[in-house]
Amino acid sequence: MKLKIKDVEFSYASTPILKNVCMELQPSEVLGIVGPNGAGKSTLLRCIDRILKPQRGSILLDGQEVKDMSRMEIARRLGYVPQTSTRVFPATVFDTVLMGRRPHLGWRSNEKDVEKVLEILKLLGIMEFALRDFNEISGGQQQKVLIARALAQEAGVLLLDEPTSNLDIKHQLEAMDIIKKLVEETGISAVMAIHDLNLGSRYSDRIIMLNSGSIFDAGSPSSVLNPENIKQVYGVEAVVREEAGRPYIVPMKPIKPNGYEE
Ligand code: ADP
């Protein structure tokens, strides 16, 4: 599925957040969205999933405007993984993931859906939590359950909002490897807002760097994740090394305001 975003602008009340955002996502591609806190990464993902309605611009899935689609049509195409929420309604992990099947079948589930859910629980290594209440598992486990729910949706595009922020390093790599493998093998694509520049570098085919709601730079991880961009956008001096053909960022020190140097 192809995602195309053209001149998107979004404001909360009168505060402009996203300005003239344009991007394209091809099938089998992972697009990483990086940028400092408040840059607009979550807002952009919420606009794509139509949780928020941009005041201007268009968001097209295979040429069709998302704003003209029903919630169900959107859910068949876009699998949104929010940042782990605090409490949600009480439901078991199994039922939470099964809810991902809803866009495909109405309210009743059949054997095939149950099999799909079990397969995904196994894939993400969370089968042992299947009967636990979602609210009573750890933040990291919840994050995996939300990824599992989006995978159960079998949507063409995954929208991942900081999918690894609550995971320890082993689970970060496991979750990202699963997503990357699915993208490569099934032709789905993923847009992922990610804090961790090194995870973004390692798993993204392309990177968009947002700053104050505008695209500051876009391109391959090596072209975008350079010391000058990191300095300008994050206000941090960093050394960029290379690891397995990808940039590896070592943040050194924050830049003092007004050019003050120690
Ligand atoms: P990021 O994901 O890059 O950290 P966000 O998209 O969450 O950034 O936020 C972008 C900006 O929008 C921030 O300045 C934030 O304070 C503001 N913002 C986020 N949610 C709301 C809201 N519900 N109402 C008003 N402003 C908001």
Side-chain angles (χ1 to χ4, degrees):
M1 184 162 291
K2 260 171 92 166
L3 170 68
K4 187 168 182 177
I5 296 180
K6 269 194 337 212
D7 299 326
V8 161
E9 293 192 9
F10 176 80
S11 307
Y12 284 110
S14 58
T15 315
I17 305 292
L18 298 176
K19 298 152 207 153
N20 277 315
V21 174
C22 298
M23 59 179 236
E24 276 193 44
L25 181 74
Q26 304 296 332
S28 279
E29 194 176 32
V30 177
L31 178 69
I33 302 184
V34 302
N37 292 336
K41 303 180 293 296
S42 297
T43 304
L44 177 59
L45 292 181
R46 289 197 200 125
C47 284
I48 299 172
D49 198 45
R50 206 67 194 165
I51 300 162
L52 299 172
K53 296 190 172 74
Q55 283 82 5
R56 262 203 63 208
S58 60
I59 297 174
L60 303 160
L61 277 171
D62 281 345
Q64 203 188 337
E65 282 277 4
V66 173
K67 68 167 180 265
D68 298 334
M69 293 179 193
S70 68
R71 214 357 72 208
M72 216 50 121
E73 283 174 313
I74 294 174
R76 271 185 225 118
R77 293 168 174 85
L78 297 173
Y80 173 64
V81 181
Q83 289 189 23
T84 32
S85 43
T86 39
R87 294 184 69 80
V88 293
F89 47 89
T92 63
V93 163
F94 183 89
D95 286 341
T96 306
V97 178
L98 186 63
M99 268 175 243
R101 300 297 303 158
R102 161 106 170 88
H104 295 281
L105 36 69
W107 285 108
R108 280 189 304 152
S109 51
N110 61 33
E111 228 169 84
K112 199 174 135 257
D113 297 299
V114 170
E115 265 170 35
K116 185 85 210 164
V117 170
L118 292 174
E119 184 192 309
I120 291 168
L121 290 174
K122 236 183 263 168
L123 180 73
L124 283 165
I126 48 176
M127 189 66 116
E128 62 185 293
F129 307 114
L131 298 178
R132 297 267 300 275
D133 186 322
F134 179 83
N135 293 307
E136 288 165 11
I137 56 176
S138 78
Q141 290 157 353
Q142 286 183 342
Q143 202 150 34
K144 283 198 161 181
V145 174
L146 295 179
I147 294 171
R149 186 180 64 180
L151 297 183
Q153 250 170 277
E154 295 187 302
V157 179
L158 287 174
L159 303 172
L160 306 156
D161 196 350
E162 302 290 352
T164 55
S165 57
N166 288 309
L167 301 178
D168 63 45
I169 46 175
K170 180 176 176 215
H171 290 107
Q172 285 180 354
L173 297 180
E174 279 180 3
M176 287 310 306
D177 282 341
I178 289 167
I179 291 165
K180 186 83 180 161
K181 193 158 172 257
L182 277 170
V183 165
E184 281 167 5
E185 288 177 359
T186 65
I188 64 167
S189 50
V191 187
M192 137 178 110
I194 188 135
H195 258 313
D196 185 323
L197 295 178
N198 288 321
L199 276 182
S201 169
R202 178 167 171 161
Y203 288 100
S204 306
D205 298 303
R206 270 188 314 129
I207 299 248
I208 282 181
M209 189 177 262
L210 273 186
N211 192 24
S212 306
S214 301
I215 294 181
F216 182 85
D217 199 6
S220 67
S222 329
S223 74
V224 175
L225 299 174
N226 61 58
E228 192 49 39
N229 280 355
I230 293 168
K231 188 172 175 177
Q232 288 205 35
V233 168
Y234 290 88
V236 164
E237 270 180 34
V239 170
V240 177
R241 305 215 170 101
E242 198 185 285
E243 200 58 60
R246 302 262 174 168
Y248 182 84
I249 294 95
V250 186
M252 302 303 284
K253 59 173 184 178
I255 295 162
K256 300 267 186 269
N258 307 322
Y260 171 80
E261 289 288 336
E262 278 167 45

